[in-house]
Amino acid sequence: MATEVPIPESIETLIANLETHRNLITNLSTITKTLTEHFNSVEKTLSSRAKSLDLSLETLETETQQTLQSLDERETSIPTSEAATTVDIQSRRDAVVAEIESQTAPTCTDIHTDLSWICRRMDASTLWRYCSENKREMTAIRQEITGAVEEAVDPARLVADSLEDFVSSEVERETDQCWIFTMFLRLLYEKEVAVSVRERAAEVALKWRTRFGERMEREIEGDGEGEPGRPEGQLFLTIVGVFQAQERFEKEYLEKIFLIHGKKREIAKFVHVLDVADKVGEVVAKMANAGKEIEAIYVAHEAGMLGQISPADLLKSYLQKAKEKANAFLKAGKGSPASVESANNLENNCFKAVIKCVETCKLESKFNIMNIKRKVAINEREREERKKFAALNPYGKGFVQPNGPPKGKRAGPAVYPPPSYPNGSGSRRFGDYGSYRGSGSSYGPQSSYYGYDYGRGSYPPPPPPTRKCS
């Protein structure tokens, strides 16, 4: 029998220490490997970023050289441009002086001729009065006014003088006149305006506030005559924005008026000029809460602040509300063909509005519209098919049997289906309509609209409109 030899405590201690050291060495090896991999990854990242930075620096240097070259070319072309502009202004001035000296107005009653003659004479007083008196010809005026104002020696001064003459006159403000001045101001968008004209326009804006200040104050308060939407405040903001006269007015005053008229896309263009960018969020939120998600996105786009909102969420909310409205149409009409047609039209119009908004505001990367375009194409195709079937309705006026009258016999009247209905009324529940099927021009008994089999040779009635829920 083997005898167990006792192990000294010193050896057990030594073995435990060795085990501890072995575990420590293993942990150190794992940590070393992890650190090595981390440093290698950091080195690769730094190398990649360094290459990207070098490429960006090269691109920036290239763009800088191109910009400097372009500036040099523009600086070189300034004398030539000044000479051409001087000659053009001189020729226009001579033509205007000759017309003034002749004192002969054009005998032609053509809108283009009249507007050109008025603008070349820089007759600001006559310009807005002529447009106001010929408001029935607004379509023609809107088409001709751009070219006519361009013939003026100083278009910006002509518009500013027209505004000043109107504000100084005792003529009562009318909606047509506000539309006329909005049209004039629209001609100056994205154009450089001389400093002297800006100062002149700032004085006009002060006079505008003096004359219509009470109406704009009531508009801010929202009571009585100051119902939101009146054009005085909108025109005031447009004048200040176009001529950059915001330094003449208190920021709080401009913000109050902007909160009322900021929903206008033309006003949103001047957000940064008016220094009211912090109020765009409030305007967009109010419009979204009022169910105007598409208009809210347009306003943010015009203000250049799409990054501060979530267009995708607004568009999804708009589509969801459109679906709910369409379902409400179906429920109110109990699924009748007319209600189905109304629901389809409503949803299709909403789809088109979303597509136009996404394409106009360049939101393709944030909101995919491929499925929506596909649904619109399907809806349009189904609408055309329904029109074709409606044109061939055998029970409408002018029905002709498909096979023609029997030969050798007198053609009798068309045979119509019985007037009774399976549901006991002239309306059917949504989803209860029969479907037609078959190949070619042959239809089986399932083609009967009211559940009757008209027999071979009868013409199938049009299927009811169908609605595809999205």
Side-chain angles (χ1 to χ4, degrees):
M1 183 175 180
T3 303
E4 294 182 0
V5 179
I7 300 176
E9 294 182 359
S10 59
I11 296 178
E12 292 181 352
T13 304
L14 179 61
I15 292 174
N17 290 335
L18 289 175
E19 187 68 22
T20 302
H21 284 82
R22 186 173 70 84
N23 293 335
L24 181 61
I25 291 172
T26 302
N27 293 336
L28 288 175
S29 299
T30 304
I31 293 173
T32 302
K33 183 179 179 181
T34 303
L35 289 175
T36 302
E37 293 177 353
H38 174 69
F39 283 121
N40 289 335
S41 176
V42 170
E43 185 178 1
K44 290 180 180 179
T45 303
L46 290 176
S47 177
S48 175
R49 291 186 177 181
K51 291 180 180 179
S52 177
L53 181 61
D54 292 338
L55 181 61
S56 299
L57 289 175
E58 292 178 0
T59 304
L60 180 61
E61 184 177 358
T62 302
E63 292 179 353
T64 303
Q65 293 296 334
Q66 292 177 353
T67 303
L68 292 175
Q69 183 179 0
S70 176
L71 289 175
D72 291 339
E73 292 177 355
R74 290 181 62 183
E75 185 177 0
T76 305
S77 64
I78 285 177
T80 305
S81 182
E82 286 182 349
T85 304
T86 303
V87 172
D88 182 53
I89 292 176
Q90 183 70 27
S91 61
R92 290 189 181 187
R93 189 189 66 177
D94 295 342
V96 171
V97 170
E99 281 187 344
I100 294 174
E101 291 178 350
S102 64
Q103 296 294 330
T104 56
T107 57
C108 180
T109 57
D110 180 66
I111 297 293
H112 172 74
T113 304
D114 293 343
L115 288 176
S116 299
W117 184 76
I118 294 172
C119 292
R120 285 197 302 269
R121 291 170 57 90
M122 291 290 290
D123 193 347
S125 175
T126 305
L127 178 62
W128 72 267
R129 285 181 168 84
Y130 177 85
C131 294
S132 180
E133 292 174 359
N134 294 272
K135 54 186 177 182
R136 293 184 178 181
E137 305 290 339
M138 273 300 170
T139 302
I141 291 176
R142 182 165 49 186
Q143 294 175 353
E144 303 292 344
I145 190 64
T146 302
V149 172
E150 289 294 334
E151 296 184 20
V153 176
D154 191 347
R157 182 174 292 277
L158 176 62
V159 174
D161 291 346
S162 296
L163 286 165
E164 184 178 16
D165 184 76
F166 169 72
V167 175
S168 302
S169 66
E170 298 297 331
V171 178
E172 184 65 22
R173 187 207 56 80
E174 298 178 359
T175 304
D176 293 333
Q177 293 167 351
C178 291
W179 188 89
I180 290 169
F181 290 114
T182 302
M183 178 180 62
F184 290 167
L185 292 169
R186 194 180 293 118
L187 300 176
L188 302 181
Y189 288 174
E190 308 298 334
K191 288 189 176 182
E192 294 291 336
V193 180
V195 177
S196 59
V197 179
R198 289 182 182 176
E199 295 177 354
R200 180 78 170 274
E203 298 295 332
V204 174
L206 289 172
K207 293 182 179 179
W208 187 280
R209 179 178 178 180
T210 302
R211 178 172 178 179
F212 301 109
E214 294 183 2
R215 293 186 181 182
M216 289 192 290
E217 288 292 341
R218 288 196 296 269
E219 187 176 43
I220 293 173
E221 295 173 0
D223 59 346
E225 190 179 352
E227 181 182 355
R230 294 182 62 86
E232 289 88 354
Q234 180 181 348
L235 260 175
F236 172 76
L237 289 178
T238 307
I239 296 171
V240 175
V242 169
F243 294 103
Q244 301 182 12
Q246 67 276 9
E247 296 181 356
R248 297 291 191 95
F249 305 94
E250 305 84 0
K251 181 180 178 181
E252 294 76 10
Y253 183 74
L254 296 177
E255 289 178 348
K256 290 179 180 178
I257 303 180
F258 178 78
L259 287 176
I260 299 174
H261 299 280
K263 60 185 178 181
K264 302 290 185 180
R265 294 171 60 180
E266 293 185 348
I267 301 300
K269 292 178 180 290
F270 308 113
V271 164
H272 299 288
V273 176
L274 300 173
D275 196 18
V276 292
D278 53 337
K279 298 298 179 181
V280 175
E282 297 183 26
V283 174
V284 171
K286 288 182 179 179
M287 297 178 71
N289 294 333
K292 299 180 179 180
E293 292 86 353
I294 299 293
E295 291 82 354
I297 294 175
Y298 278 127
V299 168
H301 172 68
E302 295 294 342
M305 304 180 69
L306 275 176
Q308 300 184 14
I309 64 173
S310 179
D313 293 340
L314 292 177
L315 291 173
K316 291 178 182 178
S317 174
Y318 177 76
L319 291 174
Q320 180 62 30
K321 292 179 180 178
K323 184 177 180 180
E324 293 175 357
K325 291 180 181 178
N327 291 333
F329 270 114
L330 291 175
K331 186 176 181 180
K334 298 181 180 181
S336 64
S339 64
V340 173
E341 187 72 19
S342 299
N344 284 337
N345 291 337
L346 172 64
E347 196 171 40
N348 207 37
N349 292 335
C350 293
F351 286 158
K352 291 181 179 180
V354 170
I355 293 172
K356 182 179 179 181
C357 178
V358 171
E359 292 178 348
T360 302
C361 301
K362 310 297 182 183
L363 299 174
E364 290 85 353
S365 61
K366 298 181 179 181
F367 192 83
N368 190 4
I369 57 175
M370 296 304 299
N371 291 334
I372 298 179
K373 286 185 176 181
R374 192 177 299 111
K375 291 179 181 178
V376 171
I378 293 174
N379 290 340
E380 293 292 341
R381 184 168 61 252
E382 290 181 349
R383 179 183 296 178
E384 293 299 326
E385 291 177 355
R386 289 195 296 270
K387 289 182 179 180
K388 291 180 181 179
F389 276 107
L392 299 175
N393 185 3
Y395 311 123
K397 184 178 180 180
F399 167 69
V400 179
Q401 295 183 8
N403 298 330
K407 294 182 179 180
K409 296 182 180 180
R410 183 178 179 182
V415 179
Y416 291 86
S420 59
Y421 298 90
N423 291 334
S425 64
S427 63
R428 285 177 169 264
R429 295 187 300 273
F430 180 60
D432 291 343
Y433 300 105
S435 60
Y436 66 93
R437 61 183 181 179
S439 60
S441 61
S442 63
Y443 288 77
Q446 294 83 355
S447 64
S448 173
Y449 185 83
Y450 297 105
Y452 295 95
D453 184 13
Y454 302 116
R456 183 165 179 162
S458 62
Y459 197 84
T466 58
R467 169 174 159 73
K468 298 183 179 296
C469 297
S470 59

